[in-house]
Amino acid sequence: MKALKYLLLFGSACALLLLGLAGTLRAQTATAEITGTVTDSTGAVIPQVKITVTSQQTGSTRSATTNESGAYTVTFLPVGVYTVTAEKTGFQVAKQTDITLAVAQTLRVDLQLAVGAVTQTVEVKASAVSLDTETSAVSHLVTNRQVSELPLNSRNFVDFLLLSGGAVDRRNGEQSSMRQNKGGSYAINGARPTSLNYTLDGVINTDVALNTPAVILSQDAIQEFKEQTTTYSAAYGFSANQVNIVSKQGTNQLHGAVFEFLRNDKVDARNTFLKPTDKKAVLRQNQFGFVAGGPVYIPKVYDGRNKSFWLVNYEGWRIHRGAFLQGIVPDPTQLSGNFNGATYGGSPLPAFGTGACNQNLGLNLPCMPIDPQTGAPFTNNTIDPSRFSRLAKETLSLNMVPNPTCPTCTTGNNFGENVTLPTTLNQQTYRGDQELGRFGKVFGRITLSNFTTSSTGTVTYPLGRNNFVEKE
């Protein structure tokens, strides 16, 4: 199978771009919000307090003002760490730092102002654990630290879904073979795997054919993701469960990493059940790439710190995985038309019309051939080669049928071969973020994924005459 997938996603938290749609799109975007109430030392609410929310990673700010009930809400905040400041003439400045926002989270931050000069500041650090008391959704967050530091076979990020209760791995059939276990399919809380919807930066990212992520973002390009189940917002529209993924963005600090992960059968142990003469299955697996991000900075031309950011990621796979294929192929004498004494799966072919033949046909198994013109068996069960069809003659001339020799095959099979199934992927992700001041923020991301894979279902004989199988 060859697949070429392009995903071009543009997201925006700019209020002007979302006029008239904010109520619908807010829960679908890969952002969060902070809400709360400002009171004085007696517990009375304070209106007209200026609230400033500042990202501790990018320096970007959002502002709001408390209403007559002392309440405020700041929406469309990218995931990250924030500081919330409350200011009003006649009161000391109240500041709460180290507030961590997760994707699709509504976090309550209540502030209390004390009487005093504005030049005085009361600073409080946020607690290490923040409870989501503003929504009724049951969710599980996989943080950036978990994505970056937990060991992960094949760097398949959706395997992190198994960290939460109720998730069961349901990879089988095409979902496993077509991507060699990359992507995966999961049943959560008893729902079908087809009831799991993936979103990436607020846009649906589900391959409806396999119900896996359409674009499997590199682990190094993921900020975090959240599994949402049970009474989450109706804004998502469908599916019993949601996986809300957020891509990573650049910050004020230039950062990057280069990686290479290698697996090779030369350093693998032998399979316990291999015969002494059997070779180990081939495995050549390389996963490599890089990630880099930071502010847009051109000396003496443009300083984008606190406002313009970029991130670039590349990941490549080169996987060659061995497999032993076996089956049944025609005997050379049968290819010449001679079926006298022919067998199938070790059993003689029964004569057409007999009870044994009828039983075989009911099991989709063959019988001795008969002349289609007369309905009678061929003389000595041999077909004259002059009666072969043109297609059969052309096929035989290509010598495409291998010889039935396989001493290590299981009972009933007469052909086997070690093959190598290659997988190749080149994936690139580019993201840019721009702060627009009082107009909000706009970002864009482009992910280009070129994926070629193979499985035992794509193998044709003889080996080496197709684009998917390489002989060891």
Side-chain angles (χ1 to χ4, degrees):
M1 176 189 116
K2 288 186 178 180
L4 182 62
K5 294 182 178 292
Y6 295 88
L7 187 60
L8 178 61
L9 300 176
F10 289 97
S12 173
C14 175
L16 294 180
L17 299 179
L18 296 175
L19 269 177
L21 297 176
T24 302
L25 296 182
R26 184 171 63 188
Q28 294 178 351
T29 58
T31 57
E33 62 182 42
I34 292 177
T35 189
T37 303
V38 180
T39 59
D40 61 18
S41 56
T42 67
V45 298
I46 307 176
Q48 299 301 309
V49 177
K50 181 182 178 182
I51 303 295
T52 304
V53 178
T54 305
S55 170
Q56 296 179 197
Q57 297 159 309
T58 66
S60 60
T61 62
R62 300 284 189 278
S63 298
T65 303
T66 59
N67 59 18
E68 62 277 4
S69 300
Y72 73 93
T73 299
V74 182
T75 60
F76 301 118
L77 295 171
V79 298
V81 182
Y82 288 87
T83 295
V84 178
T85 304
E87 301 175 75
K88 186 178 176 70
T89 302
F91 294 89
Q92 298 177 16
V93 176
K95 178 186 293 186
Q96 188 162 329
T97 62
D98 298 335
I99 299 168
T100 301
L101 280 183
V103 58
Q105 181 182 23
T106 299
L107 185 64
R108 173 165 287 277
V109 178
D110 293 327
L111 299 168
Q112 188 177 83
L113 296 183
V115 176
V118 179
T119 55
Q120 296 175 295
T121 301
V122 177
E123 182 173 328
V124 178
K125 286 187 177 292
S127 60
V129 179
S130 299
L131 298 178
D132 186 354
T133 60
E134 300 303 307
T135 65
S136 59
V138 177
S139 62
H140 176 80
L141 176 69
V142 178
T143 65
N144 179 253
R145 182 178 180 184
Q146 290 174 302
V147 172
S148 302
E149 298 182 9
L150 286 179
L152 194 61
N153 185 28
S154 296
R155 293 170 55 81
N156 182 12
F157 76 90
V158 290
D159 281 346
F160 284 134
L161 291 175
L162 298 176
L163 294 175
S164 65
V168 180
D169 190 341
R170 291 299 187 200
R171 279 175 289 190
N172 53 59
E174 288 184 326
Q175 291 169 329
S176 175
S177 63
M178 291 183 72
R179 292 194 173 188
Q180 295 207 8
N181 292 323
K182 191 74 171 179
S185 184
Y186 299 85
I188 298 176
N189 294 340
R192 290 178 177 270
T194 50
S195 298
L196 181 58
N197 180 51
Y198 296 89
T199 61
L200 177 56
D201 291 331
V203 179
I204 292 175
N205 181 42
T206 304
D207 184 333
V208 294
L210 302 176
N211 214 75
T212 60
V215 170
I216 306 169
L217 206 62
S218 171
Q219 186 178 343
D220 293 86
I222 295 174
Q223 175 67 27
E224 64 185 33
F225 65 93
K226 178 181 286 187
E227 169 200 322
Q228 295 171 280
T229 67
T230 312
T231 62
Y232 53 80
S233 171
Y236 289 95
F238 67 98
S239 292
N241 304 289
Q242 306 283 337
V243 177
N244 201 336
I245 309 161
V246 181
S247 64
K248 191 177 292 184
Q249 73 170 79
T251 65
N252 274 330
Q253 292 185 335
L254 183 65
H255 61 275
V258 178
F259 61 89
E260 159 75 14
F261 296 91
L262 170 68
R263 294 175 62 186
N264 193 293
D265 62 83
K266 300 301 181 184
V267 294
D268 286 349
R270 285 178 58 84
N271 189 307
T272 304
F273 302 101
L274 285 179
K275 297 179 181 179
T277 57
D278 291 341
K279 299 173 64 176
K280 289 188 293 185
V282 172
L283 178 60
R284 308 283 191 273
Q285 181 168 314
N286 296 82
Q287 292 176 273
F288 51 90
F290 71 90
V291 61
V296 177
Y297 179 74
I298 305 174
K300 300 181 180 181
V301 177
Y302 181 74
D303 185 354
R305 283 172 290 193
N306 296 335
K307 50 191 174 186
S308 302
F309 308 94
W310 60 273
L311 184 130
V312 177
N313 168 248
Y314 167 78
E315 180 167 341
W317 308 340
R318 302 294 183 269
I319 303 174
H320 290 74
R321 185 169 302 176
F324 180 70
L325 302 183
Q326 58 181 324
I328 300 175
V329 297
D331 188 272
T333 58
Q334 297 173 19
L335 294 177
S336 68
N338 184 0
F339 285 81
N340 191 32
T343 61
Y344 185 86
S347 301
L349 292 182
F352 189 82
T354 63
C357 176
N358 292 335
Q359 183 178 3
N360 266 19
L361 294 177
L363 298 173
N364 199 29
L365 298 176
C367 301
M368 280 292 183
I370 60 173
D371 190 330
Q373 296 179 351
T374 64
F378 286 99
T379 303
N380 199 29
N381 291 318
T382 301
I383 305 173
D384 187 344
S386 65
R387 297 188 61 182
F388 287 179
S389 69
R390 179 179 177 182
L391 178 60
K393 293 177 181 179
E394 291 292 336
T395 302
L396 290 173
S397 69
L398 295 175
N399 192 29
M400 295 185 67
V401 181
N403 293 324
T405 54
C406 184
T408 60
C409 286
T410 57
T411 303
N413 294 308
N414 63 5
F415 175 78
E417 181 96 34
N418 285 314
V419 299
T420 303
L421 307 175
T423 292
T424 300
L425 177 137
N426 292 293
Q427 181 167 280
Q428 308 162 58
T429 294
Y430 306 91
R431 173 165 173 160
D433 293 73
Q434 179 64 48
E435 294 293 334
L436 303 177
R438 63 188 181 90
F439 296 111
K441 170 184 176 178
V442 63
F443 80 88
R445 179 181 54 80
I446 300 175
T447 295
L448 171 63
S449 183
N450 190 316
F451 190 95
T452 303
T453 188
S454 61
S455 68
T456 55
T458 66
V459 173
T460 59
Y461 298 109
L463 301 179
R465 293 198 179 187
N466 57 83
N467 293 327
F468 303 112
V469 180
E470 300 173 351
K471 194 170 182 178
E472 182 186 353

